Amino acid sequence: MCVGMGLAYLGAFHAPHPHDLRVDVVGSGPRAQVLAQTLQDEADGALDVRTVAGRDEAVGALEAQEVFGAYVPGARPELLVASAASDTSATVVRKVFTEVAAEQGAPLEVTDVVPVSKGDPTGQGVFFLLVALSIGSYASVAVIGGAGAVLPLRIRALLAVGTSLVVSVIGAVFAGPLFHLVDEGLGGVWAMAWLYSAGILLIGVGLHTFLKRWTTLGVMVLFVMLNFTSSGGVFRPELQPGFFASLHAFWNGAGFVEGVRAHVYFGGHGLGRDVLVLALWLLAGLVVLGVAGAAESSRVRGAGGAGEAAVAGDAAGGASGGAADGAGGAADGAAGGASGAEEEMEETVAV
């Protein structure tokens, strides 16, 4: 866990550096074209600079999350940003164009066309909400898997669905009335929180059939080490190494974070894709549960066949001796199963 967390967090966050960060220069004349080309050349791959004809077009691109900043040159230069898309990306853009304006000898006016809510001034509250939802979900996997291992898989699946409902309601309370991370769209935030939590719980409960005591480590790799680092809640993929930037396209944490942003701040633009990502992870959970159910049924049938063979052998060798051996074998099996379950619960509580 130490090695995994170190590789994941330091690999993703230790040296954020922009690459292909899309910004616009507003204007259609030679001056705007020269400025855009100069920035493109000097950035050496850090920026993707284009020109747009007017300010309204630049605002529209920001509201569609197609761009992270737009520079309007002139006697009083203006920089347009959308901090709700990513405060860290907006900060990088602001730093770049502050230097550009300083070279022109003019102060830079910054306009935030899509600001974050007052309850989330850094824009990272959604990320920490993701952390709370994730811990509530994968910790519940350990309990359902360990304490509920003797229950039929369908009961464990129902427990997972019920737990995800509880976790999502807690998340909605955090996001709305408690910390006011969002000013509107709380119902949609709750729905995405439920999709996200249910996906983790169903995948985790299904994996427990195969991983047993290693399930907690498995879900931490999936939903902490790879998930938090690729979610875009701290740094968007344009500021991260390629591996984590690629995960952002389809990992469930990114689906939740970007989905909440799209729903709350950007009028639902791009929301369908983010909801699809969450729904596909939920579908993956159902598939893993189906495979786990088939595996458990196969084990039960195998155990039943072995038991019938043992009974037949006992009957041929003598009823009393066979009964004694059978009872002894059952006792040993029960003791072994109880010991394994106890060890697993101890590790679950420790984690």
Side-chain angles (χ1 to χ4, degrees):
M1 288 172 67
C2 175
V3 171
M5 294 292 280
L7 289 174
Y9 274 76
L10 293 175
F13 296 148
H14 84 288
H17 183 74
H19 53 86
D20 299 319
L21 188 68
R22 170 74 191 277
V23 294
D24 287 342
V25 173
V26 179
S28 56
R31 180 181 178 185
Q33 295 286 347
V34 170
L35 176 59
Q37 189 61 52
T38 301
L39 287 171
Q40 180 76 39
D41 295 339
E42 293 180 351
D44 192 25
L47 301 177
D48 178 14
V49 188
R50 305 179 190 181
T51 59
V52 294
R55 189 179 186 278
D56 291 342
E57 185 177 346
V59 170
L62 283 164
E63 292 176 341
Q65 298 192 77
E66 297 173 354
V67 63
F68 297 95
Y71 181 70
V72 185
R76 296 179 58 85
E78 180 186 19
L79 176 64
L80 309 175
V81 297
S83 61
S86 172
D87 186 69
T88 51
S89 297
T91 299
V92 170
V93 172
R94 189 180 295 114
K95 180 179 179 180
V96 169
F97 285 102
T98 297
E99 294 177 359
V100 171
E103 291 177 359
Q104 298 176 351
L108 180 66
E109 179 183 352
V110 179
T111 302
D112 193 347
V113 297
V114 189
V116 294
S117 66
K118 293 181 180 179
D120 185 18
T122 66
Q124 295 182 8
V126 175
F127 171 73
F128 293 110
L129 176 62
L130 172 78
V131 173
L133 294 171
S134 303
I135 292 176
S137 301
Y138 79 72
S140 299
V141 165
V143 177
I144 294 172
V150 296
L151 298 174
L153 183 61
R154 64 180 182 277
I155 301 299
R156 280 175 276 154
L158 289 174
L159 285 172
V161 173
T163 302
S164 66
L165 178 61
V166 174
V167 170
S168 64
V169 169
I170 293 173
V173 172
F174 285 159
L178 191 57
F179 293 110
H180 304 287
L181 301 179
V182 299
D183 295 328
E184 58 183 13
L186 186 59
V189 173
W190 165 80
M192 284 183 278
W194 178 80
L195 276 174
Y196 174 76
S197 177
I200 292 177
L201 274 150
L202 293 179
I203 290 173
V205 169
L207 288 178
H208 185 269
T209 298
F210 308 101
L211 301 181
K212 300 299 182 184
R213 69 182 59 184
W214 296 100
T215 303
T216 299
L217 178 59
V219 295
M220 287 191 70
V221 170
L222 290 173
F223 304 119
V224 176
M225 297 177 191
L226 299 179
N227 190 26
F228 294 172
T229 50
S230 64
S231 67
V234 178
F235 299 115
R236 282 187 54 87
E238 294 81 7
L239 298 179
Q240 290 191 294
F243 173 72
F244 297 98
S246 63
L247 291 182
H248 182 84
F250 60 91
W251 220 257
N252 61 340
F256 177 77
V257 170
E258 299 298 348
V260 171
R261 286 172 173 167
H263 173 62
V264 175
Y265 296 117
F266 294 95
H269 184 84
L271 177 61
R273 182 192 175 281
D274 300 317
V275 172
L276 176 61
V277 168
L278 294 175
L280 288 176
W281 277 85
L282 179 63
L283 178 61
L286 294 174
V287 171
V288 173
L289 275 180
V291 174
E296 292 186 7
S297 297
S298 177
R299 291 174 188 174
V300 169
R301 287 194 298 270
E308 290 175 2
V311 169
D314 291 343
S320 60
D325 291 342
D332 291 342
S339 176
E342 183 177 357
E343 290 180 5
E344 185 174 352
M345 281 306 299
E346 287 176 354
E347 294 190 11
T348 297
V349 171
V351 171

